[in-house]
Amino acid sequence: MELFKIKHDIPFMRYGRITTTISLVTFILAILALSFKGLNFGLDFTGGLQVEVGYNQPANIEAVRKVLEDQKIPDFSVQNFGSVKEVLIRVPMKAETNDVKLSEVILAKLKEQDPSVVLRSVEFVGPQVGKELFESGGLALLLVVGGIMAYLAVRFEWRFALAAIIANMHDIVIILGMFAFFQWEFTLSVLAGVLAILGYSVNESVVVFDRVRENFHKMRKASVPEMIDNAITTTMSRTVITHFMTQMMVLAMFFFGGEALHNFALALTIGIVFGIYSSVLVASPIVLWLGVSREDLMSVKKENAEIDNLP
């Protein structure tokens, strides 16, 4: 299915130096944001108390904040959760607030303010659990990266694997950098979004690389930049359809999924936008500069055919 057909190939590789320079600058800015600001880890990683309460009428968020301020509770956050009648209170792990009985104190003070308030749930995440989650998340990220590189190296050639992983890590660092710069809360759901983007972004790279490999066999008189330009141009319609439909679902989660899915959808949105950019304007120029040749792809194709024919 084609949404539109482009008659002449767009010379993407002509602007490869410009696009990769922009990516490098963006990448460096993201690294600086991570270095100087750091991620604003949620309770999943830092540990702390999470209390969800409900009201019979739309909750007065400012009044709830005033109650917590009067109790001299540090670094708390108060927000609607799911609906305007539900309130989520988060208190990070501190020496003076590390007791789950704090939830009883908070609920008692809120009842003095409004007797209709009802306790929905109380969750307490210890610092050890948060540390284990952080380490497990980092390990998962490394395993995904390693698996992607191994897959691309076997299916295509090591230059494609290197180009794709550089582009994918570019997307991941940009997501983390934006979360660090704006101090959006980084939770397990956001980490899940980051891992999803790794797989999503590499899918786009595989589609383009597969077409590049076909062009190496069909366009025998064309130069390597022309073959890459043709591969990107001919997959453009598919790219627009795929990313548009994906983004529609992500936007539904962003606007209607509530607080639990808000940052997850935000991470996916950033990843989708930069995933398109990196797959076309970062990965492909890197493949070109690494000097991939027809002979390289022919040898890989022969090896893969021999593996497929094994008994």
Side-chain angles (χ1 to χ4, degrees):
M1 178 180 177
E2 284 189 334
L3 185 64
F4 54 85
K5 189 174 182 64
I6 302 175
K7 295 182 178 179
H8 302 287
D9 294 343
I10 302 172
F12 290 103
M13 294 303 98
R14 185 183 301 172
Y15 308 104
R17 292 187 182 276
I18 297 175
T19 56
T20 49
T21 299
I22 294 173
S23 297
L24 181 60
V25 171
T26 310
F27 185 87
I28 292 173
L29 290 175
I31 292 292
L32 290 175
L34 286 167
S35 300
F36 290 101
K37 283 197 165 186
L39 291 171
N40 177 25
F41 289 109
L43 297 185
D44 298 332
F45 297 108
T46 61
L49 184 67
Q50 180 171 290
V51 180
E52 184 181 345
V53 297
Y55 289 84
N56 293 333
Q57 68 284 335
N60 187 338
I61 297 296
E62 292 303 322
V64 176
R65 289 196 178 102
K66 182 68 168 57
V67 169
L68 296 175
E69 289 173 357
D70 292 342
Q71 297 303 307
K72 302 187 183 304
I73 298 175
D75 301 330
F76 64 84
S77 68
V78 178
Q79 59 197 31
N80 286 114
F81 182 77
S83 71
V84 293
K85 296 182 180 181
E86 307 293 324
V87 176
L88 183 66
I89 302 169
R90 293 181 174 182
V91 182
M93 177 64 69
K94 300 286 183 181
E96 63 272 22
T97 60
N98 61 358
D99 194 340
V100 290
K101 291 184 179 179
L102 179 63
S103 62
E104 299 176 3
V105 176
I106 293 174
L107 183 62
K109 295 299 180 181
L110 291 177
K111 280 187 174 293
E112 291 179 7
Q113 182 189 77
D114 187 342
S116 68
V117 65
V118 177
L119 181 66
R120 302 293 190 199
S121 66
V122 178
E123 295 181 11
F124 182 77
V125 180
Q128 183 60 36
V129 175
K131 181 181 178 182
E132 291 175 359
L133 289 173
F134 182 77
E135 293 174 351
S136 299
L139 178 61
L141 190 61
L142 290 176
L143 290 175
V144 170
V145 170
I148 289 172
M149 288 192 70
Y151 167 75
L152 291 176
V154 171
R155 176 162 180 176
F156 297 102
E157 205 256 344
W158 70 266
R159 294 174 179 83
F160 287 91
L162 182 59
I165 210 63
I166 290 174
N168 285 4
M169 293 312 298
H170 162 272
D171 300 341
I172 298 309
V173 171
I174 295 300
I175 295 173
L176 297 179
M178 293 192 72
F179 268 80
F181 182 79
F182 293 105
Q183 286 296 287
W184 294 324
E185 189 177 39
F186 190 87
T187 61
L188 277 178
S189 63
V190 176
L191 177 60
V194 170
L195 294 175
I197 286 299
L198 266 175
Y200 183 84
S201 182
V202 78
N203 177 68
E204 183 65 28
S205 299
V206 166
V207 170
V208 175
F209 289 167
D210 208 37
R211 187 58 61 90
V212 170
R213 183 170 60 178
E214 291 178 10
N215 287 347
F216 267 85
H217 302 298
K218 295 190 304 183
M219 304 172 62
R220 298 192 176 273
K221 294 184 178 180
S223 64
V224 174
E226 289 173 342
M227 287 186 280
I228 295 177
D229 288 337
N230 177 266
I232 298 172
T233 303
T234 53
T235 57
M236 188 69 67
S237 178
R238 176 260 173 205
T239 299
V240 171
I241 294 172
T242 302
H243 290 290
F244 177 76
M245 297 306 296
T246 305
Q247 188 58 49
M248 289 289 289
M249 291 183 286
V250 172
L251 287 177
M253 289 190 291
F254 183 84
F255 289 110
F256 307 112
E259 189 64 32
L261 294 177
H262 184 273
N263 283 0
F264 171 72
L266 184 59
L268 288 179
T269 298
I270 299 170
I272 289 171
V273 172
F274 280 94
I276 301 172
Y277 179 86
S278 65
S279 297
V280 174
L281 300 175
V282 176
S284 297
I286 291 176
V287 168
L288 178 63
W289 296 336
L290 288 174
V292 69
S293 66
R294 195 186 313 275
E295 290 73 19
D296 295 325
L297 288 177
M298 289 296 288
S299 64
V300 173
K301 182 180 180 181
K302 182 179 179 181
E303 292 172 3
N304 288 342
E306 292 174 352
I307 293 173
D308 292 339
N309 292 329
L310 287 175

